[in-house]
Structure formats: C-alpha cells, structure tokens
C-alpha cells in the first residue's frame, strides 16, 4: 500500500499507481481451486474497471460477462475472413472555409444481422491482440477510400484512422502503415493517425521514435479524446502532434454548463499557443457551432454536420458539399 502511494515520475510526467482487489468465497462460490481463482480474477477485473471502487466481491453476473466476452473474441478471430467488418466515415468541417477538410474512419462489425459497436468489440480486440490484424485491415481499407477521394479531385483531403495503444506498440506498426499507403498508392499527407493519451503510458522512448518517424514521412498525427487522459500536459511540447481532438464529453453540454465552456476555451487556447490545430467532436447543436466559432476552433465533427456514413453516401455528401461551397 505504502509503495503504491508514491507516484512514479517519468519524462512524460507524473503517474500514480492504483491497487485493485478482487475476491470470492469458498464454499459459497466454489470449492474447486481453479474455479475460485477464475472467480477472483473476474472480481478483480470488475474492480479495475470501476474508478471509484477498488474492492470487488465475485458475483455470478461477472462470470457471465466474461463468458460473453470470450465468445465474442472467438467470433472476432474470423471476422476478416468472413468479411464482417465495414467502415463508415464522418466528415470534418473546417469552420472558416466551410469546407470538408478531413474524414474520420470508424469501424463496424456486422454479425448475424446485428451491428456491433466498436465500443464493444475494440476493447476485446485490444485485449486479445486481434487488434493487430483488424487494425491493418482498417488501415488498408481507409487508405483505399482516401485514394478514391483524391482521384475524385479532393486532393487535400485528410482521412483519419483510429489507432489503439496495443496496435501502436506492435513492432510492425509503422511498417504496416507504410505498406497500406503503398498498396493504395496514397500520399502520406492524405493520412492522419488518431492516437489516445494511453499510447504514451508504455515505452516512452519507443513511442517518441515511432511518432517522429511517422510524422517525418508526412503523416499527420492527432490526439483523440483530448482532456480525458491522465498524462501530464508536458508531453505535448515534445510530441510531433498536429491536432488536438477535444473530447465530446466537454462539448455535449457546453451550452448549459459554464465549466465545460471554460475547459473547451482553455484547450483551444492551449492548442493554439502550441501551434496545434483544434477540432471539436460530438458537435450536435447549432449553439455548439456558434460557441466554437467564437473561439476560432478550426474544425468540427458531429451529428450537427453529418453522422458517420458508408463510402457511397460519403461520396454523395462530399459532392453536394463542394457544389454548395463553390
Ligand atoms: P472516437 O474515436 O472518439 O469516435 C467518435 C465516436 O463518436 C464515434 O462512435 C462516432 O460515431 C460518435 N459520434 C460522432 N459524432 C457524434 C455526435 O455528434 N454525438 C454523439 N453522441 N456521438 C458522435 P463509434 O463509431 O461508436 O466509435 C466509438 C469508439 O470506438 C471510437 O471513439 C473509437 O475509440 C473506437 N473506434 C471506432 N472505430 C475504430 C477503429 O477503426 N479503430 C480503433 N482502434 N478504434 C475505433
Ligand atoms: Ca477517434
Ligand atoms: Ca474521440
């Protein structure tokens, strides 16, 4: 306990250790050793997911959840061969020019006539390591769509792809990005990688090296969900980042909530003073747009402008948007 109370100071900032405990009872939950261990792990899993509760006693529903996840992971193994993944695209609007300057790629899983949200399966893909082949598939498809857009005349379009921490830390990550670009014949300046602050928590030196290498090849880099991570702000100075994506949790209620407005304003000021570009996510209302315009936030993304759509609809949407803008 005492050891955990001390923080760990690294060149990226100060980190705090959290202890979580999971336990179960015998004979109530089982009398078999292996089963008791499994149950204690399930309880630990629950405790570590809950920010405010560090102790957790096993409940049968935890075991059911774990079984459900294990089933999904099994199905996820065949997701590429079975052609069950597809991408949707959400346009990003540049406020000053009223033009679409970027597009975020979001993955979907169609399984047995049901669409499974990435929020449900990406964590399982991360946990199981399947994010590496799945992430490569996403990168390849996104680069192919980006190339089609360039060929349609949107030569400056930047297509953003989400990258999970485990995918990023894989030794072949950078090579797979270059391979996807080559395969599609796409210029690196048309690709952006969205990383979260979680990426910086492991292997600082390796992370910096990979980021610099990607950046120097012409790829843009953005920090997703900015403002929700734990890392220190000092890393911002050292990272070759182009853009901050202001998390949607600060935008959602900014028309009612002064604290959210202060946070958004502070992030915009911080980003601008570091020479970064800024995009607000989850923009649903015109009051959000007015507020973000007043701050001179560069871009917006959200249902107010467009929901994520499939490629064919995206091409239509972009055609209409550029006809309107010219
Ligand atoms: P994210 O990267 O922060 O993506 C934004 C999420 O907000 C998307 O949810 C998008 O559909 C949703 N969204 C966009 N505009 C609005 C809005 O105005 N209001 C609201 N309420 N929501 C909006 P989605 O597609 O369900 O993705 C959830 C998360 O799953 C993503 O959050 C990202 O962390 C992860 N994810 C999605 N696609 C990929 C992917 O291709 N690779 C990886 N590694 N993760 C992905
Ligand atoms: Ca994202
Ligand atoms: Ca985000």
């Amino acid at each position: 306990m005492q050891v955990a109370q001390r923080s760990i100071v690294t060149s990226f900032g100060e980190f705090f250790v959290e202890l979580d405990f999971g336990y179960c009872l015998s004979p109530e939950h089982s009398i078999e050793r292996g089963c008791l261990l499994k149950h204690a792990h399930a309880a630990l899993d629950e405790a570590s997911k809950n920010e405010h509760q560090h102790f957790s006693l096993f409940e049968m529903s935890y075991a059911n959840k774990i079984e459900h996840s294990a089933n999904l992971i099994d199905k996820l193994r065949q997701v590429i061969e079975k052609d069950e993944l597809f991408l949707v695209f959400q346009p990003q609007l540049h406020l000053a020019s009223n033009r679409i300057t970027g597009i975020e790629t979001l993955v979907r899983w169609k399984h047995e006539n049901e669409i499974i949200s990435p929020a449900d399966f990406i964590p399982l893909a991360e946990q199981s390591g399947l994010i590496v082949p799945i992430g490569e598939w996403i990168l390849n498809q996104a680069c192919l769509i980006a190339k089609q857009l360039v060929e349609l005349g949107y030569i400056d379009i930047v297509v953003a792809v989400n990258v999970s921490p485990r995918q990023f830390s894989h030794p072949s990550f950078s090579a797979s990005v270059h391979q996807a670009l080559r395969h599609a014949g796409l210029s690196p300046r048309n690709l952006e990688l969205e990383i979260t602050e979680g990426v910086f928590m492991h292997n600082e030196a390796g992370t910096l090296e990979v980021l610099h290498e990607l950046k120097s090849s012409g790829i843009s880099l953005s920090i997703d969900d900015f403002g929700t991570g734990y890392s220190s702000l000092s890393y911002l100075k050292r990272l070759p980042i182009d853009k901050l994506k202001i998390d949607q949790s600060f935008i959602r209620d900014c028309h009612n909530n002064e604290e959210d407005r202060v946070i958004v304003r502070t992030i915009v000021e911080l980003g601008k003073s570091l020479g970064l570009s800024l995009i607000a996510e989850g923009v649903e209302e015109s009051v959000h747009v007015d507020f973000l315009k007043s701050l001179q936030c560069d871009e917006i993304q959200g249902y107010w402008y467009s929901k994520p759509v499939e490629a064919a609809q995206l091409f239509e949407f972009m055609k209409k948007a550029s006809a309107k803008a010219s």
Side-chain angles (χ1 to χ4, degrees):
M1 272 295 191
Q2 265 179 347
V3 173
Q5 275 166 1
R6 268 182 253 135
S7 63
I8 299 169
V9 180
T10 74
S11 55
F12 278 88
E14 194 175 4
F15 295 91
F16 296 88
V17 176
E18 246 183 43
L19 289 182
D20 292 305
F21 298 89
Y23 61 104
C24 60
L25 305 173
S26 187
E28 288 87 333
H29 295 133
S30 176
I31 48 165
E32 204 253 308
R33 200 172 142 219
C35 193
L36 282 168
L37 270 174
K38 238 165 69 186
H39 288 351
H41 270 292
L44 175 62
D45 202 41
E46 210 52 38
S48 56
K49 274 189 212 140
N50 191 327
E51 234 178 274
H52 307 291
Q53 181 202 336
H54 298 298
F55 290 86
S56 176
L57 173 62
F58 175 76
E59 285 175 26
M60 210 50 214
S61 64
Y62 300 168
N64 296 341
K65 240 200 249 173
I66 287 187
E67 200 184 316
H68 176 69
S69 298
N71 275 338
L72 274 185
I73 289 174
D74 264 352
K75 289 174 179 158
L76 211 47
R77 285 184 209 288
Q78 298 155 32
V79 86
I80 296 175
E81 298 87 85
K82 288 195 167 172
D83 206 16
E84 291 183 341
L85 291 179
F86 66 99
L87 297 183
V88 289
F89 304 89
Q90 189 173 35
Q92 301 172 331
L93 181 72
H94 185 254
L95 286 172
S97 64
N98 204 33
R99 284 177 187 274
I100 298 172
T101 39
I103 288 159
E104 178 173 2
T105 308
L106 296 155
V107 69
R108 300 285 179 266
W109 177 12
K110 188 164 187 223
H111 181 68
E112 292 168 358
N113 288 325
E114 189 197 340
I115 308 281
I116 306 177
S117 155
D120 294 328
F121 75 84
I122 291 287
L124 298 178
E126 271 257 307
Q127 192 188 314
S128 59
L130 289 167
I131 193 65
V132 175
I134 290 177
E136 272 176 24
W137 182 90
I138 294 168
L139 263 167
N140 274 306
Q141 298 301 311
C143 287
L144 290 170
I145 294 291
K147 180 67 181 179
Q148 283 188 48
L149 287 168
V150 170
E151 282 175 348
L152 284 169
Y154 306 101
I155 54 170
D156 294 323
I157 198 76
V158 178
V159 172
V161 177
N162 289 285
V163 178
S164 304
R166 183 148 179 199
Q167 182 188 359
F168 184 91
S169 61
H170 193 276
S172 69
F173 175 66
S174 175
S176 70
V177 175
H178 294 297
Q179 171 57 30
L181 286 169
R182 260 195 315 273
H183 176 67
L186 184 72
S187 161
R189 69 192 188 92
N190 297 112
L191 179 67
E192 174 179 315
L193 300 176
E194 292 191 9
I195 52 177
T196 51
E197 289 160 283
V199 159
F200 317 127
M201 308 286 272
H202 321 275
N203 185 9
E204 301 164 19
T207 302
L208 261 185
E209 199 182 309
V210 176
L211 288 175
H212 277 289
E213 189 274 312
L214 292 165
K215 170 78 184 160
S216 65
S217 75
I219 295 168
S220 305
L221 300 169
S222 60
I223 300 189
D224 203 0
D225 308 337
F226 186 75
T228 59
Y230 294 101
S231 334
S232 144
L233 292 178
S234 69
Y235 71 86
L236 273 184
K237 283 195 303 202
R238 256 168 292 136
L239 295 175
I241 291 292
D242 301 278
K243 194 191 269 191
L244 300 182
K245 299 197 74 180
I246 307 170
D247 189 64
Q248 45 185 288
S249 60
F250 305 120
I251 307 294
R252 197 174 301 134
D253 286 326
C254 72
H255 49 304
N256 294 320
N257 186 320
E258 175 59 17
E259 279 165 7
D260 284 340
R261 277 200 294 278
V262 169
I263 291 173
V264 174
R265 194 175 295 123
T266 308
I267 296 178
V268 171
E269 279 167 13
L270 171 79
K272 282 190 184 286
S273 63
L274 291 170
L276 304 175
S277 122
L278 289 129
I279 181 164
E281 289 191 272
V283 175
E284 294 187 355
E285 315 274 345
S286 52
V287 280
H288 298 161
V289 183
D290 295 341
F291 173 58
L292 292 158
K293 273 187 180 165
S294 78
L295 298 180
Q296 295 184 321
C297 179
D298 302 290
E299 290 169 291
I300 56 162
Q301 179 183 345
Y303 297 166
W304 179 81
Y305 188 60
S306 169
K307 289 201 166 180
V309 292
E310 289 190 46
Q313 272 173 287
L314 173 78
F315 295 156
E316 270 309 298
F317 188 90
M318 295 203 39
K319 214 160 93 185
K320 281 190 193 140
S322 47
K324 243 193 255 169
S326 56

